[in-house]
Amino acid sequence: MARGTLRIYLGAAPGVGKTYAMLSEAHRRVERGTDCVVAFVEHHHRPRTEVMLHGLEQLPRREIEYRGRTFTEMDVDAVLRRAPKVALVDELAHTNMPGSRNTKRWQDVEELLAAGIDVISTVNIQHLESLGDVVESITGVRQRETVPDEVVRRADQIELVDMSPQALRRRMAHGNIYKPDKVDAALSNYFRPGNLTALRELALLWVADRVDAHLTEYRNEHHVSAIWGSRERIVVGLTGGPEGRTLIRRAARLAEKGAGGEVMAVYISRSDGLTAVSPKELALQRTLVEDLGGTFHQVVGDDIPAALLDFARGVNATQIVLGVSRRRSWQYVFGPGVGATVARESGPDLDVHLITHAEVGKGRGLPVARGARLGRSRVISGWLAGVLGPLLLTWLLKSVVPDIGLANDMLLFLTLTVAAALLGGLLPALASAVVGSTLLNWFFTSPVHTLTVADPRNIVAIVVFVGVAVAVASVVDLAARRTHQAARLRAESEILSFLAGNVLRGETGLEDLLERVRETFGMESVALLERAGEKDPWTCAGSVGPRPATTPDAADVDVPVGDHMALSLCGRVLPAADRRVLAAFAAQAAVVVDRRRLKGEADRAEELAEGNRIRTALLAAVSHDLRTPLAGIKAAVTSLRSDDVEWSEEDQAELLEAIEEGADRLDHLVGNLLDMSRLQTGTVTPIIRETDLDEVVPMALGAVPEDSVDLDVPESLPMVGVDRGLLERSVANIVENAVKYSPPGERVLVSASAMADRVEIRVVDRGPGVPDEVKDRIFEPFQRYGDAPRGDGVGLGLAVARGFAEAIGGTLHAEDTPGGGLTMVLAVRTAPGRRRERPDVSPAVTS
């Protein structure tokens, strides 16, 4: 029996319409005469989904008793007995109740597929097993019900059911997904715009990767070598020269012109693993292409045009970007060049762009290879083998084993020459060839004891001997040079990569950098010296190791950095070849010092600016906002003390009430000013203790009218680690601000819920709200948004609230209230060891 096919509707979040799309497909198939039944569909009391079930055959469910309650699950046996052509099975990741045939619903689906039944199912992206940690980091909710990725990947068809976060939140607000009493909680927690956007991106990327994999598989199965331009893939051919950065930027601009464009930079290295390009330049170009969103690849190939084209066709590229050749005019006699060859052989399906740049026609400028360093003992051994070895061999051939033939004599001398080349390089090998050929001519070539040769064939043999000796010695010496060059360049590239990594990671530890210099070059001490002017004394900006140099003249190695800074090393004299890398270290050290100095100056400037701003705002507050309640108090007292008017008891009570209100307002303003001064001077010292929110939050509502706030703080919340006084003060300021801006008759909602390892306190008002660009500014001191009247506060309440929240390790930010208004979210950490096993989240969210 043929295995059934599996079609999956994949969604980014609950409510995007997966079940609705599945039922719509079922109706289309039934209209075409397909035998289609509903094996299990959960409509969650959503009216539109429930209507779609009408007209479809629904199989009975199996009832299971568990802990005194009755649950229903899909009846696999009933589906197998019915044996429809197509079965609809909702919620592929669902976990069956204990006592069911299988633990997971996807295992039930596997049975149906094995029986030849086609299955249409649904799943959300957060239920894929490999994405569990990612989804938890985004939403704070750990998905308990998951399905292995391989089960979904094996599906014959996967259709993404997509919806923008704004549309999904509107659908939620209209009551099309959850019941009205759950809408606000869902919109404020799981269904936040940021959460939905991130989940949507996960779903799109997962489906795009699967589409790419299917396309590659199809091309391989059908041996498709032609390029299919499903999307723009641009390959940038790099030579390691400085023009590579220009090419990468041009390719990035080309990619931006098409949707989903991708840039892949590739460097072709030769099969011997050697490179004559600057590792530093390649590292810079790798960083640049990655910063622009592309990828860097290194491919081995001796035929550069062929390797480049093979790579481009292998990744299904649509364009190749190359730079115009740097070769000079006379060098074109050796061939047309890489660019022309690639353009000629690319074919009609691959566009080639030749980009001009500043290095055109300037030559390649390859660095000169340094000689091999074989070591003194090895060179001496080579000279001994090359000079004394032939003499010793001549004595042996004359006295111990005479008359073995000229051919054998020459082979023995050639062996000594090769040994000299292996040990000492080219010069000992040449010396061995000269001494050996002379001894062969004198002692073994007729006529002997003369430098003449009677037989012309012997002349040819001696010439061949010398030629082979020189050739072998040259190859060995070249190999030694290349090996040394490769090792050195590799070491340099690792060092420069370390420096580049420091820059990218923002590491600014001067002592760590100097310690790296000392370890790299094996020095005793390293110091970075600087001075203000030519005649000023040198001062040490940083040093490592014992007895660092105090002046550049006292150091064994001195690398100047600009006019007034030098990197001084003590221990030994370094060869000139090491100074290039050392100069890079010196430049990086100077950058670290300058960055540290600039950061200090910026911090001081910021402190001064902040101090000036606060002083200016404080003067404004004292001159106006604090005088307003004082003026009211003074007017009321003056009226009470006036002898011209006889006040009634009601008037006196009213004036006394005005005095009390003014005093309370004045006390509130002064308290906020004192709190802000404590935060600015860093004198707030929180005492962190385990605390129940239901004991703290109600205490913070004492300053607002009782009928202005709805409180929803469950007793089941985990305990939090906070300073009770600071938390109460922070919540009080937030609630007072919300009540102030709420419309008359609208109550402020104060709720709390657990999310992963934190607890969030949400203060929701239905006021005018705040635009996104102002949401951060309202937490700055002395800031009031909109048309708040003067004398109604100095704008410190939210600044103090955020300061206290951060002092206890929490966060405070503002969000839009669905339907209008502003929601303040205060998040604090749960107490250690008091984390709940599962956040208090509606089960519908994980369905």
Side-chain angles (χ1 to χ4, degrees), residues 351-542:
D351 297 334
V352 178
H353 301 267
L354 292 179
I355 308 299
T356 58
H357 49 83
E359 304 297 321
V360 173
K362 292 185 177 180
R364 295 187 179 275
L366 300 181
V368 178
R370 293 184 291 270
R373 296 178 180 177
L374 299 176
R376 179 175 298 179
S377 60
R378 184 171 172 181
V379 172
I380 292 174
S381 299
W383 279 104
L384 292 176
V387 176
L388 297 182
L391 297 176
L392 180 60
L393 180 59
T394 301
W395 177 78
L396 290 174
L397 292 176
K398 280 296 185 180
S399 59
V400 179
V401 284
D403 300 328
I404 62 173
L406 179 61
N408 292 327
D409 294 335
M410 292 183 64
L411 288 175
L412 291 174
F413 277 98
L414 183 60
T415 302
L416 280 177
T417 302
V418 173
L422 292 173
L423 290 172
L426 181 60
L427 293 180
L430 292 177
S432 177
V434 172
V435 174
S437 61
T438 302
L439 293 175
L440 277 171
N441 192 353
W442 185 267
F443 289 103
F444 303 101
T445 306
S446 299
V448 295
H449 304 302
T450 65
L451 295 179
T452 60
V453 179
D455 190 348
R457 290 175 297 179
N458 292 337
I459 297 177
V460 175
I462 293 177
V463 171
V464 171
F465 165 75
V466 174
V468 171
V470 172
V472 171
S474 299
V475 170
V476 172
D477 183 72
L478 179 62
R481 288 173 181 269
R482 293 299 189 191
T483 301
H484 170 72
Q485 183 187 38
R488 183 172 185 82
L489 290 176
R490 178 179 179 182
E492 289 185 4
S493 66
E494 291 177 353
I495 294 171
L496 294 173
S497 175
F498 164 78
L499 289 177
N502 280 353
V503 175
L504 293 175
R505 293 188 297 268
E507 297 176 359
T508 57
L510 179 60
E511 286 70 21
D512 294 337
L513 183 63
L514 296 181
E515 181 63 28
R516 177 75 180 206
V517 175
R518 190 175 72 87
E519 294 176 355
T520 300
F521 297 99
M523 308 301 287
E524 293 181 1
S525 63
V526 180
L528 184 66
L529 307 177
E530 61 178 346
R531 60 181 178 180
E534 294 291 341
K535 298 182 179 180
D536 294 317
W538 290 95
T539 59
C540 182

Side-chain angles (χ1 to χ4, degrees), residues 510 513-514 517 526-532 534 538 541 552 557-569 579-594 597:
L510 179 60
L513 183 63
L514 296 181
V517 175
V526 180
L528 184 66
L529 307 177
E530 61 178 346
R531 60 181 178 180
E534 294 291 341
W538 290 95
V557 181
D558 168 35
V559 180
V561 186
D563 297 330
H564 307 299
M565 191 174 292
L567 185 66
S568 302
L569 295 82
R579 285 185 172 267
R580 183 177 69 171
V581 177
L582 189 57
F585 271 110
Q588 176 65 11
V591 169
V592 169
V593 172
D594 291 340
R597 183 182 295 112

Side-chain angles (χ1 to χ4, degrees), residues 21 79 84 101 116 204-205 255 330 433 486 490 531 543 585 619 654 665 692 712 783 786 793 796:
V79 180
R101 180 167 179 158
L204 291 171
L205 291 175
W330 60 268
R490 178 179 179 182
R531 60 181 178 180
S543 64
F585 271 110
L619 288 174
E654 185 176 349
R665 184 184 303 175
D692 282 323
D712 180 17
Q783 294 290 328
L796 286 177

Side-chain angles (χ1 to χ4, degrees), residues 28-43:
R28 286 192 293 270
R29 297 199 180 195
V30 170
E31 290 175 0
R32 295 196 300 263
T34 305
D35 183 14
C36 184
V37 301
V38 176
F40 188 96
V41 168
E42 186 62 64
H43 53 72

Side-chain angles (χ1 to χ4, degrees), residues 10-13 123-128 131 135 199-200 202-203 206:
L10 177 67
V123 71
N124 283 330
I125 192 68
Q126 68 263 29
H127 294 300
L128 296 183
L131 300 178
V135 172
L199 292 173
R200 186 188 189 197
L202 277 179
W206 194 90

